[in-house]
Amino acid sequence: MASYEGGRGAFSERTVQQSWGARSQARSGTANSSRVCLEEPDGRNDVVRSREKNEYLFTVVAEEADALLLGLRYSPTRLHFLFLSQDPAGAWQTRVTFHSPALMDSEWHTLVLAVSEGSFSLTTDCGLPLDIMADVPFPATLSVRGARFFIGSRKRTKGLFTGLVRQLVLLPGSDATPRLCPCRSAELAVLSIPPVLQGLTGKPEDNEVLKYPYETDMKVTLGSRPPCTKEEDAQFWFDASRKGLFLCVGSEWVSVLAAREKLDYVEEHQSLFTNSETLGIEVFAIPEAGLFVAAANRKTTSAIYKWTDGKFASYQNIRTHQAQSWRHFTIGKKVFLAVANFEPNEKGQEFSVIYKWSQTKLRFTPYQRVPTHSARDWEAFKVAGEHFLAVANHREGDNHNIDSVIYKWNPRTRLFEANQTIATSGAYDWEFFTVGPYSFLAVANAFNGRSTKLHSHLYVWLFGSFQLFQAFLTFGAADWEVFHIGERVFLAVANSHSYDVEMQAHNDSYVVNSVIYELNVTAQTFVKFQEIPTCSALDWEFFSVGEDYFLVVANSFDGNTFSVNSIIYRWQGYEGFVAVHSLPTFGCRDWEAFRTAAGSYLLYSSAKEPRSRVLKLRTG
């Protein structure tokens, strides 16, 4: 039932990476004893491939020499215990092989390997042991200086164990079987926590010698949040309601397994005073530099703020001309920030500007000026490996029916060059997104010179350019927001104003429905999913907290006052989006959601006062 092999010569062991997707669970001891549980997956084809291969459950490897000092390896019908033997004549590897019962039968199995000098014993499922006496004894001393312990591999780069090791227990003593197996017919549930690990006393008293280093107090507290003090240090708490596991470190519970977050309420975190009214905001991060927000201010100076000590602090001022929005994007390692200027400069020239981040100055510096006409928005995107920028030109003089332009990055000149023009009417916003292999670009048309009731358009990338895909009837469309919930794709439009020159007395309302559309893959079109009453909506922002999805709308004006509430809607599945939080805002223009190590936040800008607000999402 068992055999062993010993061979002199230069030590060399090479792990064969196994493609079999088995799961295994292990409870084992030191080099003296171990317990291993194996379970076969449902995929039979993988099992067939695995029969010619074997894998390591654990190894101890001398890093510098890449020498395997100790290892436990299994195959479908054998279990191999390997160790390094040395004497003045040299070093060699010894392998003890047990012809074990078939373990790949879709069941968990418990193995105990006991080692004592020349005696090796394997017990499966707490049954009768298989014993072997080897000519080469296990070494009385085995130096592990400079060695590393690997679970499920020979070494990180030498093939990985594709199973699941549930538990590994290392115990001193020549035979740990009596301590790990309560009886010969023990059930797996009984074996899940070895009796030797139950009821441990924890740390010794001052005058008491710790018998075994593995005897630590590993308690898991259930129920409501317990105190986290010195007495609970290094203890676990499992929050069953949120399905989270926490570890007491110092005086705080630190998440070990992510708990389910749930949005409880929203509170003000910071009043961000800006240079003037802010028409748009852009939150972005620069590697090794930090988190920033760019504010598009109505007056001649816009500002960039940096997240410092939990709040945004002034970082850089940039001269702009009634800036409407900012757009952050990268090309390779280059970091850019484009501003949409609505008004001409002092010389009467209409330009929007692309800025580039300087790694030496740690500031944004002017990179390229682009001719625009009352620009409202920039959208950066990538199609077929090429970089593009689309500008929403709102009007030229009194003419709102003008072309907006899509620019393409030229790697040779390192500039954006005009690539395609698209006819728009008072364009307010661009939104790019992809569905499978298809790329889409939606424009929000707000006004054609006579009415806000007009079609906004969705374009699809075909044969090297964007072509019309679908038209939507909108009312002063100011923003598109695309988002995914599972496999479903949604597109929300913010309608701001229902106005018609010829019917002004009967048709002039800021309280209009904004609409959420959903992609019908079968019909290959977006269909109306839900209408939501809004007050001159100017922006939608989609975000998630834990497993919940939300939309927040920027309500700016109800026809009488700019002091109107913006609303957070939560995804309720069949019910669609349902209002759950009402947020007092004043002339709200734009929303941005962002996360830091401290939590989740919302930031909104006001087009009617020089103050934006940072709101913190409190979760429970």
Side-chain angles (χ1 to χ4, degrees), residues 593-620:
F594 65 96
R595 293 181 65 92
T596 71
S600 300
Y601 300 85
L602 288 174
L603 168 64
Y604 88 83
S605 65
S606 172
K608 293 300 175 181
E609 64 175 352
R611 179 170 62 175
S612 296
R613 297 179 188 272
V614 181
L615 308 178
K616 187 168 186 178
L617 306 180
R618 288 295 181 182
T619 58

Side-chain angles (χ1 to χ4, degrees), residues 469 519-527:
F469 179 80
L519 178 63
N520 185 315
V521 178
T522 304
Q524 296 186 353
T525 187
F526 281 89
V527 296

Side-chain angles (χ1 to χ4, degrees), residues 6 8 13 83 107 123 145-146 202 266 291 302 305 321 333 480 483 492 498 518 574 584 596-597 601 611:
R8 293 182 177 272
E13 177 66 28
F83 57 90
E107 300 292 338
T123 302
R145 182 182 297 275
V266 182
L291 180 71
S302 292
Y305 303 86
H321 303 281
K333 294 183 179 180
W480 283 107
F483 55 94
S498 178
E518 182 181 3
Y574 181 77
T596 71
Y601 300 85
R611 179 170 62 175

Side-chain angles (χ1 to χ4, degrees), residues 279-397:
L279 302 179
I281 47 177
E282 176 85 341
V283 177
F284 58 94
I286 299 177
E288 300 181 0
L291 180 71
F292 299 86
V293 61
N297 297 130
R298 186 180 64 83
K299 293 186 178 178
T300 56
T301 301
S302 292
I304 297 174
Y305 303 86
K306 183 178 179 180
W307 187 260
T308 307
D309 297 328
K311 293 188 176 181
F312 284 112
S314 181
Y315 186 80
Q316 180 182 359
N317 288 324
I318 296 179
R319 188 171 182 81
T320 54
H321 303 281
Q322 200 172 128
Q324 300 292 299
S325 64
W326 289 95
R327 184 65 64 201
H328 160 264
F329 62 97
T330 60
I331 298 178
K333 294 183 179 180
K334 301 181 183 67
V335 179
F336 295 95
L337 194 60
V339 64
N341 285 322
F342 192 75
E343 294 293 336
N345 60 16
E346 298 81 359
K347 299 180 180 180
Q349 302 169 321
E350 284 194 86
F351 287 102
S352 291
V353 184
I354 302 171
Y355 297 84
K356 181 177 177 291
W357 176 257
S358 170
Q359 293 287 358
T360 55
K361 298 179 180 179
L362 298 181
R363 291 290 188 274
F364 282 98
T365 58
Y367 184 81
Q368 182 180 355
R369 293 198 310 175
V370 181
T372 55
H373 301 289
S374 298
R376 288 282 191 181
D377 179 60
W378 283 106
E379 180 76 343
F381 53 93
K382 188 176 180 180
V383 178
E386 296 185 301
H387 295 270
F388 295 85
L389 265 180
V391 65
N393 286 325
H394 187 69
R395 60 177 170 83
E396 186 175 6

Side-chain angles (χ1 to χ4, degrees), residues 403-514:
D403 288 341
S404 291
V405 185
I406 299 173
Y407 297 87
K408 185 170 73 171
W409 174 258
N410 187 328
R412 185 178 58 82
T413 62
R414 297 182 181 179
L415 295 173
F416 281 97
E417 301 172 352
N419 182 71
Q420 182 181 359
T421 59
I422 294 180
T424 53
S425 299
Y428 225 99
D429 177 68
W430 283 108
E431 179 80 350
F432 174 82
F433 61 96
T434 60
V435 178
Y438 299 101
S439 298
F440 295 91
L441 190 61
V443 64
N445 288 323
F447 187 58
N448 61 10
R450 303 188 63 84
S451 177
T452 61
K453 181 182 178 180
L454 69 162
H455 285 93
S456 293
H457 296 120
L458 177 64
Y459 300 88
V460 63
W461 179 268
L462 291 175
F463 310 112
S465 65
F466 284 100
Q467 301 181 28
L468 183 62
F469 179 80
Q470 186 176 351
F472 305 86
L473 183 63
T474 55
F475 297 85
D479 177 66
W480 283 107
E481 177 81 352
V482 68
F483 55 94
H484 296 73
I485 298 178
E487 299 297 322
R488 303 170 70 175
V489 182
F490 296 89
L491 191 59
V493 64
N495 286 323
S496 66
H497 190 192
S498 178
Y499 171 79
D500 191 285
V501 173
E502 298 178 355
M503 302 178 61
Q504 181 173 353
H506 306 285
N507 185 22
D508 187 3
S509 175
Y510 293 92
V511 180
V512 294
N513 287 342
S514 292

Side-chain angles (χ1 to χ4, degrees), residues 221 224-233 235 237 248 251-253:
T221 303
S224 59
R225 180 186 293 264
C228 179
T229 63
K230 185 177 181 180
E231 294 182 358
E232 288 82 21
D233 190 49
Q235 301 302 309
W237 164 54
C248 180
S251 60
E252 295 184 0
W253 289 106

Side-chain angles (χ1 to χ4, degrees), residues 148-167:
R148 290 192 178 185
F149 196 110
F150 294 94
I151 301 294
S153 73
R154 161 72 167 76
K155 197 174 181 182
R156 289 187 182 88
T157 58
K158 294 292 184 72
L160 299 177
F161 170 61
T162 53
L164 171 64
V165 178
R166 189 172 116 175
Q167 188 181 32

Side-chain angles (χ1 to χ4, degrees), residues 548-584:
D548 294 324
Y549 302 99
F550 299 89
L551 272 176
V552 59
V553 65
N555 285 327
S556 64
F557 185 60
D558 65 1
N560 297 305
T561 178
F562 295 102
S563 296
V564 293
N565 290 335
S566 292
I567 308 295
I568 296 179
Y569 300 87
R570 183 175 63 205
W571 172 251
Q572 296 283 97
Y574 181 77
E575 300 175 71
F577 285 92
V578 177
V580 290
H581 295 280
S582 184
L583 310 176

